[in-house]
Amino acid sequence: MAYSPRAQALLSLPLIALLTACGGSREPVSAPAAPAAESPAPEWSAREAEIIAAFPARAATQPVDPAMEARIAQIVAGMTLEQKVGQMTQAEIRSITPDQVRQYYIGSILNGGGAWPGMNKHAALADWTNLADAYAKAALATDMAVKIPLIWGTDAVHGHNNVVGATMFPHNIGLGAANDADLVQRIGRATAKQVRATGISWAFAPAVSVVEDQRWGRAYEGYSSDPAVVAKLGGALVRGLQGELTGEGDVAASVKHFIGDGGTFQGVDQGENRSDPAKLAAVHGAGYYAALDAGSATVMISYNSWAPGGTEPLGKLHGNRALVTGVLKQKLNFDGLVVSDWNAIEQVAGCERDHCPQAINAGIDLFMVPDNWKTFIERTVADVREGRVGMARIDDAVTRILRVKFRTGLFDKPVSASRLTGDASALVDRPLAQEAVRKSAVLLKNDAAALPLKPGKRLLVVGKSANSFPDQAGGWSITWQGDETDNRDYPVGETLLDGLRRVYGAENVTFSADGSAFAPGKFDAVVMVLGETPHAEMKGDVRWPTPLAHGLQYPEQAALLGKVSGRGVPVVSVLYSGRTVYATDLINRSDAFVAAFLPGTEAGALADLLAGRGSLDFSGRLSFNWPSTPCLTTGEPAGEALFARGHGLSYRAPRNTGKLVETPIPAACP
């Protein structure tokens, strides 16, 4: 079922009267969605008009503030071209100094995955706040007539995940299984506090990808294959992150990645979405309608390309004016800023990392050019002077950037003035993360009431993932891919092994990563923890024709499970994964099987659930189909589902699953 946005006629907002600008020049300022802000009314081709018509008209989220718009117009009119393009530039902290921010009038910086102050993975909180303050002061030390504050963006996608010591919450796939909007909103509030503690005020979240193929390496960033769930939870996270936008614990959200990244053919990262316009609007647009209704200040554009119906390639989204301007800015009435993704403009035909007039003309306002920011400024200035980009388009981009900076209170109060800046306690919310872990786990099998495992049992815990923070946290954890880390990088939290020791007593829990300690009669139960290697975009793809089977990807884990199963001792398997994956062979060799997805830093909370402590029970339900074959042909068809979306068992309603029909796993799919 697709999300149904408010259906309203596209409002035609009048131009604000021409305002007297600094230096005597007079320039028009547009209302948020008026096309005249960029150029005279665009002449869309018949095909572009058809695409735009497929999307619902949407009313503006908030009314125009004439006083704010007048102030923005005065600032823009008083800026040089170089200053304007500087505001449109986002550089990465590894490639720019505070003094260069001052010198080049830079409007934004970011820290990418695996970037920290001084490139010190264990940078202290004071290192983050000092660097943020240095950049902020540099932006206000330019020779501009009106000083424009800087905005720093960060990938805080499951908590402030780049910061050692910050609580990390379950990834979106787990939160989709919890399907609790209030929980997601509270996680948004907690994440915003973490981000503000480091002196940063912009989070690149939420992802509202409607994931259609679990082969995609970013599948765990999607809440569900159901657009309605994606819309509900995406909107909730925006509300949690942003609050009132100007509060000391509020950050700007960036709903991403516009549009269709979860629906690429065979799940290829940055690949081709072949949806027709109606499906693109109804399915892949659902999360954006809800996020914009919730007031998302910014939108990030996607790497993927689009070929409607698989027959008419329209190129990369970063160069698609019909979608960025025609749909997002005009039809959906979005008046905030549109930001590009990391070096994404180079994928637009005819463009390079530091040069893409097509993307500017398409409607992108702020350009994430992490390393090549200096030549981007030079070449963009030349594009304007030589007529490849119109000044009206530049002014519209800067207007939108300033609008977000005004709305987020950056002109009124420096981020460093927040009471949360430098507050280490704001980085940690273990109880909230533990609640999320318990609500997001899905019980797929529980034959002969193998669970709950009552306290007092003697447990053998096998599988290295049982004692691995990297495996339970997944990608976008300390580093971009979540790799090149170990337990020493996670000073706050609890592994499942430590949680089992806490619940059952250390004397009753034996850890044997390779299962060599197993002996019949010595243990009451075996807890087998299976886990994927941490991954993010690109590296996480399972490319066709490789079967999507956990046992094939990790044969040593399948062999370990075979070593302890069928030996007269109940086996409870827990799987850490960023996707639903063929695991029928593993499920059949387990008496109970739990899909824990990627629980974050508090996986130990699963131990309370396995024990059924107090009134705890499994409430998580699959937000994606669970495949019955390792060679899914397209998306997630119901006929190939071992467990359908919405499936999940509980202690209150016990049910035996029995032996499931296994599909042989080929070396390659036919």
Side-chain angles (χ1 to χ4, degrees):
M1 181 177 69
Y3 175 78
S4 179
R6 296 195 307 265
Q8 297 190 35
L10 182 62
L11 300 179
S12 177
L13 298 176
L15 280 178
I16 295 177
L18 296 181
L19 298 167
T20 301
C22 297
S25 63
R26 300 170 65 86
E27 295 188 11
V29 182
S30 69
E38 300 147 11
S39 62
E43 303 242 344
W44 302 110
S45 69
R47 186 58 177 140
E48 289 171 330
E50 178 186 355
I51 291 167
I52 296 168
F55 286 78
R58 182 187 161 277
T61 303
Q62 55 186 297
V64 173
D65 180 340
M68 179 190 297
E69 297 300 317
R71 180 64 176 139
I72 292 171
Q74 290 175 337
I75 296 172
V76 172
M79 295 170 68
T80 67
L81 176 58
E82 287 78 8
Q83 291 167 349
K84 292 174 181 178
V85 177
Q87 283 298 302
M88 296 170 61
T89 303
Q90 185 178 61
E92 217 262 358
I93 63 172
R94 286 172 283 194
S95 300
I96 192 167
T97 66
D99 193 57
Q100 287 174 319
V101 164
R102 176 197 61 78
Q103 182 181 357
Y104 290 92
Y105 313 103
I106 299 298
S108 179
I109 58 168
L110 80 151
N111 64 291
W116 318 277
M119 281 310 292
N120 174 14
K121 187 194 310 182
H122 292 268
L125 181 55
D127 296 326
W128 287 94
T129 58
N130 289 341
L131 185 60
D133 194 46
Y135 280 124
K137 288 178 177 176
L140 298 178
T142 68
D143 59 3
M144 296 177 65
V146 177
K147 316 301 184 186
I148 300 177
L150 183 84
I151 187 167
W152 180 338
T154 189
D155 285 289
V157 298
H158 66 131
H160 201 4
N161 43 263
N162 261 11
V163 178
V164 168
T167 293
M168 295 182 203
F169 302 96
H171 270 294
N172 287 356
I173 190 172
L175 297 181
N179 197 13
D180 183 335
D182 175 71
L183 172 67
V184 171
Q185 184 165 338
R186 285 185 284 130
I187 288 173
R189 291 308 298 151
T191 301
K193 288 172 58 179
Q194 294 177 323
V195 172
R196 290 301 298 265
T198 56
I200 300 172
S201 61
W202 185 11
F204 297 144
V208 292
S209 316
V210 179
V211 180
E212 297 185 298
D213 197 318
Q214 296 294 310
R215 293 177 173 277
W216 189 33
R218 303 186 76 160
Y220 59 82
E221 295 187 53
Y223 293 112
S224 177
S225 57
D226 182 350
V229 173
V230 173
K232 178 175 73 172
L233 301 185
L237 193 75
V238 170
R239 288 189 292 274
L241 289 170
Q242 294 197 161
E244 298 300 320
L245 259 185
T246 56
E248 294 191 344
D250 301 343
V251 299
S254 187
V255 60
K256 63 183 188 182
H257 304 88
F258 191 81
I259 184 174
D261 56 342
T264 58
F265 180 64
Q266 295 182 341
V268 173
D269 186 56
Q270 303 181 21
E272 185 177 84
N273 187 306
R274 298 181 177 180
S275 302
D276 60 34
K279 180 182 177 183
L280 193 72
V283 174
H284 296 289
Y288 295 94
Y289 311 142
L292 296 184
D293 283 351
S296 184
T298 77
V299 175
M300 184 180 291
I301 302 300
S302 180
Y303 282 110
N304 66 275
S305 57
W306 184 38
T311 59
E312 302 174 52
L314 297 180
K316 291 288 183 173
L317 270 293
H318 277 74
N320 192 314
R321 188 169 185 269
L323 287 173
V324 177
T325 293
V327 171
L328 178 59
K329 290 186 170 182
Q330 295 178 2
K331 196 73 181 288
L332 300 184
N333 243 318
F334 175 64
D335 69 349
L337 74 83
V338 176
V339 61
S340 69
D341 208 337
W342 181 282
N343 280 332
I345 60 173
E346 70 174 332
Q347 296 188 18
V348 177
C351 289
E352 301 172 62
R353 283 191 174 187
D354 62 351
H355 186 228
C356 195
Q358 296 97 311
I360 300 174
N361 290 330
I364 295 175
D365 305 308
L366 183 61
F367 288 81
M368 193 185 295
V369 280
D371 303 312
N372 303 93
W373 55 270
K374 190 182 297 185
T375 51
F376 169 79
I377 293 172
E378 294 171 357
R379 299 184 76 176
T380 300
V381 166
D383 284 336
V384 177
R385 288 183 172 147
E386 295 168 18
R388 288 180 290 273
V389 175
M391 184 62 79
R393 174 76 271 276
I394 297 295
D395 286 351
D396 175 63
V398 178
T399 294
R400 288 169 174 273
I401 292 165
L402 295 186
R403 186 178 292 132
V404 168
K405 291 181 177 182
F406 270 104
R407 285 179 175 171
T408 52
L410 292 177
F411 276 90
D412 301 321
K413 183 179 180 182
V415 176
S416 60
S418 169
R419 59 179 174 76
L420 294 171
T421 303
D423 182 358
S425 67
L427 293 176
V428 180
D429 196 333
R430 298 188 65 186
L432 179 59
Q434 291 158 3
E435 176 189 350
V437 169
R438 292 191 293 264
K439 287 182 173 180
S440 62
V442 180
L443 181 60
L444 296 181
K445 179 181 180 179
N446 191 25
D447 282 7
L451 290 174
L453 290 170
K454 294 301 182 183
K457 299 281 188 181
R458 297 168 301 165
L459 304 182
L460 174 66
V461 182
V462 300
K464 73 173 185 64
S465 295
N467 192 38
S468 172
F469 276 106
D471 286 5
Q472 69 191 47
W476 292 108
S477 301
I478 308 298
T479 64
W480 171 38
Q481 295 286 330
D483 57 3
E484 300 179 344
T485 61
D486 57 36
N487 284 4
R488 292 170 295 181
D489 298 314
Y490 292 86
V492 179
E494 188 177 54
T495 65
L496 178 51
L497 175 62
D498 285 337
L500 292 168
R501 287 170 171 162
R502 171 177 52 80
V503 171
Y504 294 92
E507 69 280 4
N508 289 326
V509 177
T510 299
F511 179 50
S512 177
D514 62 0
S516 59
F518 179 82
K522 187 177 179 181
F523 302 100
D524 298 312
V526 174
V527 177
M528 169 80 206
V529 185
L530 307 141
E532 292 184 326
T533 299
H535 61 261
E537 54 200 299
M538 296 185 289
K539 291 186 180 181
D541 281 9
V542 177
R543 293 293 180 94
W544 185 271
T546 302
L548 188 62
H550 189 85
L552 180 67
Q553 297 293 315
Y554 305 96
E556 73 286 354
Q557 296 182 25
L560 178 56
L561 180 56
K563 185 176 181 179
V564 298
S565 67
R567 304 284 299 276
V569 180
V571 176
V572 175
S573 293
V574 177
L575 173 62
Y576 296 152
S577 70
R579 48 170 59 99
T580 57
V581 62
Y582 180 80
T584 308
D585 54 332
L586 309 178
I587 295 171
N588 277 339
R589 287 154 184 77
S590 307
D591 296 279
F593 197 94
V594 177
F597 300 109
L598 297 171
T601 50
E602 294 295 341
L606 292 167
D608 302 287
L609 198 54
L610 296 179
R613 299 184 82 184
S615 59
L616 289 178
D617 198 353
F618 284 89
S619 60
R621 300 294 181 261
L622 291 177
S623 57
F624 295 93
N625 287 346
W626 194 280
S628 61
T629 170
C631 291
L632 286 175
T633 52
T634 54
E636 55 164 24
E640 295 182 0
L642 181 67
F643 303 115
R645 190 174 66 204
H647 174 79
L649 306 178
S650 67
Y651 298 146
R652 288 186 296 275
R655 187 175 76 204
N656 279 355
T657 299
K659 187 171 178 61
L660 301 165
V661 176
E662 294 184 29
T663 300
I665 304 173
C669 294

